[in-house]
């Protein structure tokens, strides 16, 4: 008996991501306590506030992780892994000279860290470029510029960038990084709030979302606060528990304020110049002509009589 030809391959080829329908979602412009701690997040009015807090905290913490990786990763690409904590800040050359010993030969890619934090054993130039590209791509994906681009962030997308950084680091250092290296800790570790400079901005599931001067209650759904319209856009504040109501947003942005001040200053200078000028030469200006409107509609412009 003959078997019917399979059409599975044909069906798979016809499926494309562009066929996916994008449903209307609530767009949340989330802001933290710092200017760069802001991002867009899409969700539904049916989302429980407790789950929304958890998801937005994950995105917030992942952005902080990528920002730390960008700083430390660039140093890792240029100066190599970190020294042990008890040797950071020490100059090996000065120490060796004081002890009367000679330093072992260094590789062709050695680059001394001026801060004495890293050992200088950098990877080759091609791997450095690969690491820097992965770090730059991740930093751009987590940047607040994504708000200007109107691109919402997800934990999954940011985690994929961290995975790319992890792969680049593994290629550069196949034997692995020491456990005290900040890059390794940020790649493998799980963020937890602390009073350290690195952990003070990290949030946990007890964080709160505030909108329109009121806290979104964990027992409610998002729609209980913003309504049932899925096309709603709001500006919300994400902060630690116990911080009280956040400061209200300024009615105008700093850029708009600067533009307004520049305009008022220019206008003030013009008014001062008019007060000083006592001449009546302004009467020759077009705006001072009482018949300018009539001339405009009759098609008569500036007509001068020869010899006049």
């Amino acid at each position: 008996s003959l078997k019917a030809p399979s059409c599975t391959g044909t069906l798979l080829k016809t499926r494309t991501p562009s066929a996916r329908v994008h449903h209307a979602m609530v767009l949340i412009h989330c802001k933290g306590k710092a200017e760069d701690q802001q991002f867009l997040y899409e969700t539904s009015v049916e989302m429980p506030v407790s789950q929304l807090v958890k998801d937005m905290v994950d995105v917030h913490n992942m952005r902080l992780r990528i920002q730390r990786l960008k700083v430390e990763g660039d140093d890792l690409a240029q100066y190599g892994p970190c020294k042990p904590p008890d040797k950071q800040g020490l100059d090996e050359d000065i120490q060796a000279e004081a002890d009367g010993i000679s330093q072992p030969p260094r590789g062709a890619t050695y680059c001394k860290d001026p801060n004495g934090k890293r050992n200088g054993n950098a990877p080759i130039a091609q791997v450095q470029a690969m690491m820097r590209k992965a770090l730059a791509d991740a930093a751009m994906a987590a940047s607040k510029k994504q708000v200007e681009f109107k691109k919402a962030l997800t934990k999954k997308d940011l985690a994929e960038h961290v995975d790319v950084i992890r792969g680049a680091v593994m290629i550069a250092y196949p034997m692995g990084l020491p456990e005290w290296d900040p890059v390794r800790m940020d790649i493998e570790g799980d963020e937890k709030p602390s009073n350290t400079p690195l952990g003070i901005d990290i949030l946990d599931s007890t964080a709160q979302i505030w909108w329109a001067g009121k806290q979104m209650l964990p027992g409610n759904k998002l729609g209980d606060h913003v309504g049932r319209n899925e096309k709603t856009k709001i500006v919300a504040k994400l902060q630690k528990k116990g911080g009280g109501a956040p400061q209200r947003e300024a009615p105008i942005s700093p850029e708009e304020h600067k533009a307004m001040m520049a305009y008022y200053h220019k206008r003030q200078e013009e008014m001062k110049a008019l007060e000083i000028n006592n001449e009546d030469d302004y009467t020759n200006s077009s705006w001072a002509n009482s018949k300018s409107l009539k001339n405009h509609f009759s098609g008569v412009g500036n007509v001068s009589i020869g010899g006049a």
Side-chain angles (χ1 to χ4, degrees), residues 21-28 41-47 152 154 222 226 228-234:
V21 178
H22 181 76
H23 298 285
M25 303 283 280
V26 176
L27 186 63
I28 301 177
Y41 187 80
E42 285 185 332
T43 186
S44 169
V45 293
E46 297 298 327
M47 174 68 72
T154 65
L222 178 61
V226 303
R228 311 304 300 175
N229 186 0
E230 290 283 7
K231 295 183 179 181
T232 302
K233 179 180 178 180
I234 65 172

Side-chain angles (χ1 to χ4, degrees), residues 176-201:
L177 295 175
E179 61 182 8
W180 52 78
D181 196 294
V183 173
R184 175 175 173 176
M185 290 189 289
D186 278 326
I187 289 177
E188 299 178 354
D190 186 19
E191 295 101 332
K192 293 182 180 179
S194 66
N195 292 325
T196 63
L198 294 179
I200 196 168
D201 292 328

Side-chain angles (χ1 to χ4, degrees), residues 9 32 74 150 190 194 216 233-234 237 242 261 267 281:
D74 283 339
K150 299 181 180 180
D190 186 19
S194 66
M216 293 188 181
K233 179 180 178 180
I234 65 172
K237 289 291 187 72
M261 292 300 294
R267 185 63 177 167
D281 53 356

Side-chain angles (χ1 to χ4, degrees), residues 213-274:
K214 296 181 180 179
Q215 180 190 351
M216 293 188 181
L217 303 179
N220 293 346
K221 291 184 178 180
L222 178 61
D224 295 333
H225 295 275
V226 303
R228 311 304 300 175
N229 186 0
E230 290 283 7
K231 295 183 179 181
T232 302
K233 179 180 178 180
I234 65 172
V235 177
K237 289 291 187 72
L238 185 66
Q239 64 178 30
K240 290 183 178 181
K241 182 180 179 180
Q247 185 177 1
R248 287 187 175 271
E249 287 287 311
I252 57 175
S253 66
E255 291 76 13
E256 291 173 333
H257 181 263
K258 290 180 181 178
M260 291 174 62
M261 292 300 294
Y263 171 79
Y264 290 138
H265 178 73
K266 180 181 178 182
R267 185 63 177 167
Q268 188 177 21
E269 294 298 321
E270 291 176 350
M271 295 303 295
K272 287 181 180 179
L274 288 175

